[in-house]
Amino acid sequence: MKRFPFLDLRRINADYSQALRAAAAHAVDSGRYIGGQEVETFERNLAEYVGANSIAVGTGNGYDALFLILEGYKAMGRLNTGDEVIVPANTYIATVLAVVNAGLTPVFADPDPDTMTLTGDRTEAALTERTRAIMTVHLYGAPAWDAKMGRLATERNLIVIEDAAQSIGAVAFDAGLNGTTTAGSLGHAAAFSFYPTKNLGALGDGGAVVTTDPTLATTVRAIGNYGADTRNHHIYLGVNSRLDPIQAAMLDVKLKEIDAVNNRRRQRATLYGSLIDNPMVRTPYNPGSVWHQYVVRIADGRRDEFREYLDRNGVETDVHYPTPPHRQPCLSSFGVQRLPIAERLAREVVSLPISDCTPIDDVAEIASIINRFK
Ligand SMILES: *Cc1c(COP(=O)(O)O)cnc(C)c1O
């Protein structure tokens, strides 16, 4: 029987095979294996892609990018240990671990039940006297931003950090704090992940901080380089988190195609949306999304049955995410409250196969298999 793979990374990277090999060869022959031209070029191109006046700083991975932003603001005196940071309750655990490991207090906001993301209204509901920052997560590639979130941030002098790990190229309807609408340029600072499965995926780990604040960029770069402002002079209790030149070279090849990649993902998402017609299956509607995941919802406790049915018919699926962070054992000390929307989403969501390489015919076949689920 025909199988529909959830994600075929070999096939995705095969499209760039020649260019990736050439870029790797250049990095191998350069004699420079930390920093250098490959990293500088990719940082410049990424910054330009995200927005005017942006600065990009490569990091070891997406988690480190989040953590370094928070540590950077602490070093700048803008955040202090114990300050509250609002995070959406339905996110990948990395978002929350960065907050906790930076010595800050995560406050979980139940997401909007329609968009499945943080909104201005949901942010407002989680605000307290001690809120100092909002960590908005552009989940599944959909921008989690609206004018109200921007207004709250301005009025209350809150730092807005974007977890843009899943959302390079996504576009919000309302302008962000910089007057721009692209993911990564909406708030004060953004973290990108180049984990291999992300829309812009490296061939290993990689990440970046993007900001228009030159002081934050300099601070993040120093903290990620053992806290050194100049060679052998350490002003912060830093860490080691740098983007490898080989990964920077791979990413620079793929960055040139990211708009085409995202457009092919949009096409597939639009097709799923127009073809799936089953009262049991709720399809997502997120016009600005770059569709890192295409996530449908199955109510009435039938999610596992639906996934087994799809598997029997060759369709591989996944769940992002089956347990919300506040229900994870490591965060039990923070997760005393009930977060009904996040908990319901965790029971209902199913991610369908989607990538720029998923054949259009497969999308149609998967939709028709879904429509036969009773
Ligand atoms: C992937 C991801 C991260 C972490 O990125 P890594 O590169 O794996 O460290 C953080 N937040 C979200 C929402 C992610 O999807």
Side-chain angles (χ1 to χ4, degrees), residues 322-342:
T323 307
H326 70 283
R327 290 278 163 213
Q328 295 287 356
C330 65
L331 292 169
S332 57
S333 59
F334 298 94
V336 286
Q337 75 274 56
R338 289 258 309 142
L339 294 158
I341 299 166

Side-chain angles (χ1 to χ4, degrees), residues 195-345:
Y195 186 82
T197 62
K198 303 289 161 87
N199 289 27
L200 176 60
L203 278 69
D205 272 314
V209 171
V210 174
T211 180
T212 54
D213 179 346
T215 309
L216 180 68
T218 306
T219 309
V220 159
R221 196 181 288 286
I223 297 175
N225 189 30
Y226 291 118
D229 59 346
T230 54
R231 192 167 142 82
N232 290 321
H233 188 257
H234 301 263
I235 56 173
Y236 306 115
L237 295 171
V239 298
N240 173 357
S241 182
R242 304 174 289 224
L243 180 63
D244 285 345
I246 288 188
Q247 294 308 336
M250 303 293 98
L251 289 164
D252 204 51
V253 166
K254 295 180 73 176
L255 179 62
K256 294 179 176 62
E257 301 299 324
I258 189 65
D259 284 338
V261 162
N262 284 341
N263 282 333
R264 289 202 290 273
R265 283 177 178 267
R266 279 193 198 97
Q267 252 178 355
R268 281 143 184 84
T270 305
L271 193 61
Y272 270 135
S274 66
L275 294 178
I276 295 175
D277 182 16
N278 182 326
M280 240 111 57
V281 181
R282 176 165 173 190
T283 55
Y285 177 72
N286 276 313
S289 181
V290 288
W291 302 101
H292 174 59
Q293 301 296 352
Y294 188 87
V295 176
V296 298
R297 281 183 263 176
I298 320 297
D300 305 323
R302 298 195 62 201
R303 192 256 306 272
D304 293 347
E305 207 186 316
F306 177 71
R307 290 191 72 201
E308 279 157 27
Y309 162 83
L310 288 181
D311 186 60
R312 279 200 306 282
N313 286 277
V315 182
E316 294 175 11
T317 60
D318 206 338
V319 171
H320 300 93
Y321 300 91
T323 307
H326 70 283
R327 290 278 163 213
Q328 295 287 356
C330 65
L331 292 169
S332 57
S333 59
F334 298 94
V336 286
Q337 75 274 56
R338 289 258 309 142
L339 294 158
I341 299 166
E343 287 165 23
R344 177 155 57 81
L345 289 173

Side-chain angles (χ1 to χ4, degrees), residues 60-64 66 91-95 137-140 163-166 192-195 197-198 205-207 292 321:
N61 53 65
Y63 165 84
D64 283 356
L66 290 166
T91 181
Y92 184 54
I93 194 165
T95 318
V137 180
H138 307 313
L139 195 70
Y140 310 142
D163 182 338
Q166 305 187 351
F192 287 91
S193 166
F194 308 119
Y195 186 82
T197 62
K198 303 289 161 87
D205 272 314
H292 174 59
Y321 300 91

Side-chain angles (χ1 to χ4, degrees), residues 70-115:
L70 296 166
E71 288 290 325
Y73 279 123
K74 285 176 74 182
M76 290 161 67
R78 300 276 307 277
L79 290 176
N80 291 296
T81 302
D83 282 353
E84 288 185 0
V85 180
I86 294 176
V87 297
N90 61 329
T91 181
Y92 184 54
I93 194 165
T95 318
V96 185
L97 289 178
V99 173
V100 172
N101 289 334
L104 302 163
T105 306
V107 173
F108 298 98
D110 227 5
D112 180 275
D114 292 322
T115 62

